[in-house]
Amino acid sequence: MKIQTTRFGELNIPAECIIRFVSCLAGFPRHKRFALFPYEENSPFNFLQSVSNPDLTFLLVDPYRFFNGYVFELEDDLAEELGFSAENPPGVYALTTLKDKIEDATVNLLGPVLVNWKRRTAVKVTL
């Protein structure tokens, strides 16, 4: 799928990288379809780019690569509703905000983005 972006120009994103949020991200009620793709191969950084808004991009990180021992519990009902199981664990990402100095960057560990790659759906949960 071809999408226009402000930061990256035109991107050709494979269909398997397009996800749909089952509930909207806070502050962005009209945007549910996003492309989720890595900064580069094996990078802990990923971009979450709106399919419909070229200006809307988020930076996500793999929290396990930066925060040793990061864990959270997902309620059984929610895990079942989202289709997560031992055989289909969620992809876990944390929204990141960069500042002028990298030392001032923040990572939202209390609101991870969980992706069901089999269904290509996602949700941002509040822990």
Side-chain angles (χ1 to χ4, degrees), residues 30-44:
R30 295 185 317 220
H31 305 284
K32 289 193 171 189
R33 290 182 66 220
F34 287 83
L36 178 55
F37 56 95
Y39 169 68
E40 56 188 32
E41 192 173 338
N42 297 318
S43 173

Side-chain angles (χ1 to χ4, degrees), residues 8-9 39 41 53-54 57 60 62 74 103 119 127:
F8 312 108
Y39 169 68
E41 192 173 338
N53 183 343
T57 308
L60 304 178
D62 176 348
L74 194 58
E103 305 85 52
R119 294 182 182 175
L127 304 176

Side-chain angles (χ1 to χ4, degrees), residues 41-55:
E41 192 173 338
N42 297 318
S43 173
F45 299 100
N46 297 272
F47 293 106
L48 185 65
Q49 172 67 53
S50 170
V51 169
S52 60
N53 183 343
D55 298 326

Side-chain angles (χ1 to χ4, degrees), residues 103-116:
E103 305 85 52
D104 296 332
T106 60
V107 178
N108 184 351
L109 297 175
L110 295 177
V113 172
L114 307 179
V115 178
N116 180 327

Side-chain angles (χ1 to χ4, degrees), residues 10 67 124:
E10 184 177 87
F67 301 95
K124 182 182 175 298

